[in-house]
PDB file of all heavy atoms in Angstrom:
ATOM      1  N   ILE A 497     -15.487   5.926   2.556  1.00  0.00           N
ATOM      2  CA  ILE A 497     -14.436   6.631   1.890  1.00  0.00           C
ATOM      3  C   ILE A 497     -15.034   7.648   0.944  1.00  0.00           C
ATOM      4  O   ILE A 497     -14.638   8.793   0.838  1.00  0.00           O
ATOM      5  CB  ILE A 497     -13.458   5.683   1.248  1.00  0.00           C
ATOM      6  CG1 ILE A 497     -12.828   4.708   2.167  1.00  0.00           C
ATOM      7  CG2 ILE A 497     -12.428   6.444   0.421  1.00  0.00           C
ATOM      8  CD1 ILE A 497     -11.883   5.356   3.236  1.00  0.00           C
ATOM      9  N   HIS A 498     -15.969   7.160   0.043  1.00  0.00           N
ATOM     10  CA  HIS A 498     -16.575   8.041  -0.968  1.00  0.00           C
ATOM     11  C   HIS A 498     -17.365   9.200  -0.244  1.00  0.00           C
ATOM     12  O   HIS A 498     -17.312  10.356  -0.710  1.00  0.00           O
ATOM     13  CB  HIS A 498     -17.580   7.264  -1.810  1.00  0.00           C
ATOM     14  CG  HIS A 498     -16.943   6.315  -2.696  1.00  0.00           C
ATOM     15  ND1 HIS A 498     -15.698   6.613  -3.390  1.00  0.00           N
ATOM     16  CD2 HIS A 498     -17.192   5.013  -3.171  1.00  0.00           C
ATOM     17  CE1 HIS A 498     -15.360   5.668  -4.127  1.00  0.00           C
ATOM     18  NE2 HIS A 498     -16.248   4.637  -3.986  1.00  0.00           N
ATOM     19  N   ARG A 499     -17.991   8.966   0.839  1.00  0.00           N
ATOM     20  CA  ARG A 499     -18.753   9.883   1.589  1.00  0.00           C
ATOM     21  C   ARG A 499     -17.871  11.013   2.086  1.00  0.00           C
ATOM     22  O   ARG A 499     -18.157  12.190   1.876  1.00  0.00           O
ATOM     23  CB  ARG A 499     -19.543   9.274   2.723  1.00  0.00           C
ATOM     24  CG  ARG A 499     -20.438  10.243   3.435  1.00  0.00           C
ATOM     25  CD  ARG A 499     -21.216   9.605   4.564  1.00  0.00           C
ATOM     26  NE  ARG A 499     -22.011   8.487   4.114  1.00  0.00           N
ATOM     27  CZ  ARG A 499     -22.789   7.637   4.801  1.00  0.00           C
ATOM     28  NH1 ARG A 499     -22.845   7.904   6.092  1.00  0.00           N
ATOM     29  NH2 ARG A 499     -23.405   6.710   4.254  1.00  0.00           N
ATOM     30  N   TRP A 500     -16.796  10.605   2.690  1.00  0.00           N
ATOM     31  CA  TRP A 500     -15.788  11.594   3.240  1.00  0.00           C
ATOM     32  C   TRP A 500     -15.228  12.514   2.045  1.00  0.00           C
ATOM     33  O   TRP A 500     -15.055  13.679   2.200  1.00  0.00           O
ATOM     34  CB  TRP A 500     -14.726  10.968   3.979  1.00  0.00           C
ATOM     35  CG  TRP A 500     -15.081  10.430   5.338  1.00  0.00           C
ATOM     36  CD1 TRP A 500     -15.972  11.074   6.192  1.00  0.00           C
ATOM     37  CD2 TRP A 500     -14.695   9.169   5.909  1.00  0.00           C
ATOM     38  NE1 TRP A 500     -16.079  10.315   7.353  1.00  0.00           N
ATOM     39  CE2 TRP A 500     -15.364   9.175   7.178  1.00  0.00           C
ATOM     40  CE3 TRP A 500     -13.913   8.201   5.563  1.00  0.00           C
ATOM     41  CZ2 TRP A 500     -15.203   8.163   8.057  1.00  0.00           C
ATOM     42  CZ3 TRP A 500     -13.755   7.057   6.388  1.00  0.00           C
ATOM     43  CH2 TRP A 500     -14.419   7.039   7.682  1.00  0.00           C
ATOM     44  N   ARG A 501     -14.911  11.845   0.928  1.00  0.00           N
ATOM     45  CA  ARG A 501     -14.290  12.625  -0.177  1.00  0.00           C
ATOM     46  C   ARG A 501     -15.252  13.542  -0.766  1.00  0.00           C
ATOM     47  O   ARG A 501     -15.035  14.659  -1.176  1.00  0.00           O
ATOM     48  CB  ARG A 501     -13.798  11.667  -1.207  1.00  0.00           C
ATOM     49  CG  ARG A 501     -12.712  10.722  -0.818  1.00  0.00           C
ATOM     50  CD  ARG A 501     -12.084   9.929  -1.897  1.00  0.00           C
ATOM     51  NE  ARG A 501     -11.379  10.833  -2.787  1.00  0.00           N
ATOM     52  CZ  ARG A 501     -10.992  10.454  -4.045  1.00  0.00           C
ATOM     53  NH1 ARG A 501     -11.360   9.359  -4.542  1.00  0.00           N
ATOM     54  NH2 ARG A 501     -10.276  11.373  -4.783  1.00  0.00           N
ATOM     55  N   GLN A 502     -16.637  13.124  -0.820  1.00  0.00           N
ATOM     56  CA  GLN A 502     -17.661  13.969  -1.224  1.00  0.00           C
ATOM     57  C   GLN A 502     -17.872  15.224  -0.310  1.00  0.00           C
ATOM     58  O   GLN A 502     -18.267  16.297  -0.737  1.00  0.00           O
ATOM     59  CB  GLN A 502     -19.003  13.245  -1.449  1.00  0.00           C
ATOM     60  CG  GLN A 502     -18.921  12.232  -2.558  1.00  0.00           C
ATOM     61  CD  GLN A 502     -20.176  11.337  -2.504  1.00  0.00           C
ATOM     62  OE1 GLN A 502     -21.055  11.358  -1.674  1.00  0.00           O
ATOM     63  NE2 GLN A 502     -20.201  10.427  -3.469  1.00  0.00           N
ATOM     64  N   GLU A 503     -17.643  15.034   0.958  1.00  0.00           N
ATOM     65  CA  GLU A 503     -17.622  16.174   1.879  1.00  0.00           C
ATOM     66  C   GLU A 503     -16.477  17.131   1.785  1.00  0.00           C
ATOM     67  O   GLU A 503     -16.435  18.144   2.435  1.00  0.00           O
ATOM     68  CB  GLU A 503     -17.698  15.582   3.312  1.00  0.00           C
ATOM     69  CG  GLU A 503     -18.961  14.867   3.660  1.00  0.00           C
ATOM     70  CD  GLU A 503     -18.926  14.181   5.059  1.00  0.00           C
ATOM     71  OE1 GLU A 503     -17.875  14.190   5.597  1.00  0.00           O
ATOM     72  OE2 GLU A 503     -19.889  13.578   5.388  1.00  0.00           O
ATOM     73  N   GLY A 504     -15.563  16.859   0.868  1.00  0.00           N
ATOM     74  CA  GLY A 504     -14.458  17.740   0.594  1.00  0.00           C
ATOM     75  C   GLY A 504     -13.194  17.362   1.397  1.00  0.00           C
ATOM     76  O   GLY A 504     -12.158  18.131   1.307  1.00  0.00           O
ATOM     77  N   LYS A 505     -13.191  16.235   2.068  1.00  0.00           N
ATOM     78  CA  LYS A 505     -11.951  15.774   2.770  1.00  0.00           C
ATOM     79  C   LYS A 505     -11.029  15.107   1.821  1.00  0.00           C
ATOM     80  O   LYS A 505     -11.407  14.491   0.985  1.00  0.00           O
ATOM     81  CB  LYS A 505     -12.408  14.931   3.946  1.00  0.00           C
ATOM     82  CG  LYS A 505     -13.310  15.652   4.992  1.00  0.00           C
ATOM     83  CD  LYS A 505     -13.621  14.626   6.132  1.00  0.00           C
ATOM     84  CE  LYS A 505     -14.498  15.278   7.189  1.00  0.00           C
ATOM     85  NZ  LYS A 505     -14.895  14.362   8.235  1.00  0.00           N
ATOM     86  N   THR A 506      -9.702  15.190   2.138  1.00  0.00           N
ATOM     87  CA  THR A 506      -8.693  14.520   1.524  1.00  0.00           C
ATOM     88  C   THR A 506      -8.346  13.308   2.409  1.00  0.00           C
ATOM     89  O   THR A 506      -7.885  13.517   3.516  1.00  0.00           O
ATOM     90  CB  THR A 506      -7.465  15.325   1.279  1.00  0.00           C
ATOM     91  OG1 THR A 506      -7.774  16.466   0.473  1.00  0.00           O
ATOM     92  CG2 THR A 506      -6.446  14.517   0.427  1.00  0.00           C
ATOM     93  N   VAL A 507      -8.717  12.154   1.923  1.00  0.00           N
ATOM     94  CA  VAL A 507      -8.684  10.957   2.889  1.00  0.00           C
ATOM     95  C   VAL A 507      -7.498  10.001   2.668  1.00  0.00           C
ATOM     96  O   VAL A 507      -7.122   9.716   1.565  1.00  0.00           O
ATOM     97  CB  VAL A 507     -10.067  10.091   2.628  1.00  0.00           C
ATOM     98  CG1 VAL A 507     -10.099   8.947   3.607  1.00  0.00           C
ATOM     99  CG2 VAL A 507     -11.265  11.031   2.815  1.00  0.00           C
ATOM    100  N   ALA A 508      -6.976   9.591   3.791  1.00  0.00           N
ATOM    101  CA  ALA A 508      -5.954   8.501   3.783  1.00  0.00           C
ATOM    102  C   ALA A 508      -6.577   7.310   4.559  1.00  0.00           C
ATOM    103  O   ALA A 508      -7.041   7.476   5.598  1.00  0.00           O
ATOM    104  CB  ALA A 508      -4.642   8.994   4.534  1.00  0.00           C
ATOM    105  N   MET A 509      -6.475   6.143   3.900  1.00  0.00           N
ATOM    106  CA  MET A 509      -6.949   4.915   4.540  1.00  0.00           C
ATOM    107  C   MET A 509      -5.747   4.077   4.981  1.00  0.00           C
ATOM    108  O   MET A 509      -4.759   3.892   4.181  1.00  0.00           O
ATOM    109  CB  MET A 509      -7.748   4.152   3.501  1.00  0.00           C
ATOM    110  CG  MET A 509      -8.203   2.727   4.061  1.00  0.00           C
ATOM    111  SD  MET A 509      -9.323   2.735   5.359  1.00  0.00           S
ATOM    112  CE  MET A 509      -9.423   1.103   5.840  1.00  0.00           C
TER     113      MET A 509
END
Side-chain angles (χ1 to χ4, degrees):
I497 299 296
H498 290 322
R499 183 179 304 179
W500 285 320
R501 296 188 70 196
Q502 289 170 0
E503 293 174 355
K505 296 180 179 179
T506 304
V507 182
M509 174 69 191

